[in-house]
Amino acid sequence: MKITEQRSSMLHGILLMALFSCAAFYLGDMSFAKALSFSPMIVGIILGMLYANSLRNNLPETWTPGIVFCSKRILRIGIILYGFKLTFQDITAVGLPAIIIDAIVVVVTIVFGLFVGKMLKMDRSIALLTSCGAAICGAAAVMGVDGAVRPKPYKTAVAVATVVIFGTLSMFLYPILYRAGIFDLSDQQMGLFAGATIHEVAHVVGAGNAMGAAISDSAIIVKMIRVMMLVPVLLVIAFFVAKDVATRENADGTKTKIQIPWFAIMFLLVICFNSLNLLPADVVKGITTLDTFLLTMAMTALGAETSIDKFKKAGFKPFLLAAIIYVWLIVGGYYLTKFLVPALM
């Protein structure tokens, strides 16, 4: 009977996150959300944070395990199914220069972000989450790294907040600077630049559409290649985390278990399967819609664990770090695209 009651309480928390996610889908389909390129995931974390700072204290604590389940287990399922949005054919569509630029941007951004975070004397996990979110694919990358290093939920939410702010800024800034002639690039180069440096897939779509179909198409493909780089990044992170864990002991003297990010390996296997085009397009579309819903539940749960007090605890430094990384992405990404790409072609 006790187990049944625990499961019932857990289901209450899961159901609450599912209802919030339904609301996020509805709000995300409204014109104002589309104008800002706010995906249901972003709307979900905003709703979760509103809940955390208003009704959370009035609901039973027994619902908390269900919310944690969404932010951990459902998150991993969502990351795995995210692979149905990608194929290896995407890589051949843009060629070697895009892969090289993406790889440089991802590696330099993460290393640079960790270095700046250390200089700012920041919490290491927040610096890592913020850097990976900017380097790879925004909120999805932050959640992927969350699954590998398991930080406190508010740290993940802070990192996602930086992605939302600077990704949204990019969506408006890139088209303005391009049309003003400040970004002196061809359509192909501009697509590569946008796809390699803008945070979220949704923001790449928004910025690309504002600059024309020719730029938008290549930008999205370059962005998808960047998303694929989440797998090797997670494996490298898991390796370094494992080295740290191997030297750590619990309070009772036992060794801490090393966590292997199997969900990242499954994510890669799903991409391989999807590249074979064995499933009908409608089925894949249904899976990706389900995946967006699951990731929205996970994002909402992360938001539900994030109060204003926890944002205050994180301080201004994560946003300063994100701003410094953003300057690197624009300036460094522009010059890489302007001078390195022609040399590779």
Side-chain angles (χ1 to χ4, degrees):
M1 183 65 182
K2 184 178 180 182
I3 295 176
T4 304
E5 288 177 356
Q6 288 177 342
R7 288 180 177 176
S8 176
S9 296
M10 185 174 180
L11 286 173
H12 278 97
I14 295 172
L15 179 60
L16 179 64
M17 295 300 101
L19 291 174
F20 270 125
S21 298
C22 289
F25 263 70
Y26 178 76
L27 292 172
D29 198 41
M30 291 186 169
S31 56
F32 78 91
K34 289 183 176 179
L36 294 172
S37 285
F38 273 19
S39 66
M41 288 190 290
I42 301 303
V43 176
I45 196 169
I46 293 171
L47 292 177
M49 290 171 67
L50 290 174
Y51 159 71
N53 291 282
S54 56
L55 300 175
R56 180 67 189 268
N57 294 331
N58 297 324
L59 292 175
E61 277 300 314
T62 51
W63 292 20
T64 300
I67 297 173
V68 173
F69 179 85
C70 291
S71 67
K72 299 299 181 184
R73 299 295 179 85
I74 289 182
L75 165 63
R76 293 183 177 85
I77 296 171
I79 293 294
I80 292 169
L81 295 180
Y82 197 83
F84 279 101
K85 296 182 179 181
L86 309 168
T87 66
F88 288 120
Q89 287 86 333
D90 294 336
I91 296 177
T92 59
V94 293
L96 185 62
I99 299 172
I100 293 175
I101 295 298
D102 274 346
I104 293 172
V105 167
V106 168
V107 173
V108 174
T109 302
I110 294 174
V111 174
F112 176 65
L114 290 173
F115 172 76
V116 174
K118 187 175 182 180
M119 293 298 100
L120 294 174
K121 297 181 180 178
M122 283 179 57
D123 178 275
R124 187 168 60 177
S125 58
I126 293 181
L128 178 62
L129 290 165
T130 302
S131 301
C132 289
I136 308 170
C137 54
V142 174
M143 291 190 293
V145 176
D146 173 280
V149 302
R150 300 186 179 185
K152 293 180 180 178
Y154 82 89
K155 296 180 181 180
T156 304
V158 168
V160 170
T162 66
V163 168
V164 174
I165 291 170
F166 290 100
T168 303
L169 178 60
S170 296
M171 191 182 63
F172 297 104
L173 185 63
Y174 277 54
I176 291 171
L177 296 180
Y178 174 67
R179 297 193 185 284
I182 296 174
F183 288 155
D184 184 22
L185 301 170
S186 66
D187 285 355
Q188 183 182 8
Q189 287 177 319
M190 189 63 208
L192 196 158
F193 171 51
T197 57
I198 296 177
H199 298 63
E200 281 276 352
V201 175
H203 294 142
V204 172
V205 173
N209 287 338
M211 292 183 284
I215 294 175
S216 179
D217 291 345
S218 60
I220 293 169
I221 294 172
V222 172
K223 182 63 180 179
M224 289 299 101
I225 294 173
R226 206 163 140 216
V227 173
M228 290 183 191
M229 293 182 180
L230 177 62
V231 177
V233 167
L234 288 179
L235 293 176
V236 170
I237 289 172
F239 171 75
F240 283 104
V241 169
K243 287 180 67 176
D244 180 52
V245 165
T247 61
R248 195 188 309 157
E249 289 188 352
N250 294 318
D252 59 3
T254 60
K255 289 286 186 180
T256 304
K257 291 183 178 179
I258 296 173
Q259 300 293 334
I260 299 173
W262 293 109
F263 68 93
I265 298 171
M266 292 297 295
F267 170 67
L268 182 60
L269 292 175
V270 168
I271 295 174
C272 293
F273 176 78
N274 195 43
S275 300
L276 299 175
N277 293 317
L278 298 177
L279 296 179
D282 289 342
V283 174
V284 174
K285 184 178 180 181
I287 292 173
T288 56
T289 301
L290 172 63
D291 175 55
T292 302
F293 186 81
L294 293 176
L295 287 175
T296 301
M297 286 182 65
M299 292 284 280
T300 305
L302 288 171
E305 293 290 308
T306 307
S307 64
I308 293 175
D309 289 339
K310 290 178 179 177
F311 261 100
K312 291 179 179 177
K313 181 179 178 181
F316 177 70
K317 289 181 180 179
F319 298 93
L320 176 59
L321 171 62
I324 294 171
I325 291 174
Y326 188 57
V327 172
W328 142 249
L329 286 172
I330 293 178
V331 177
Y334 174 78
Y335 283 105
L336 283 172
T337 307
K338 180 75 173 176
F339 298 108
L340 183 59
V341 170
L344 294 172
M345 296 181 73

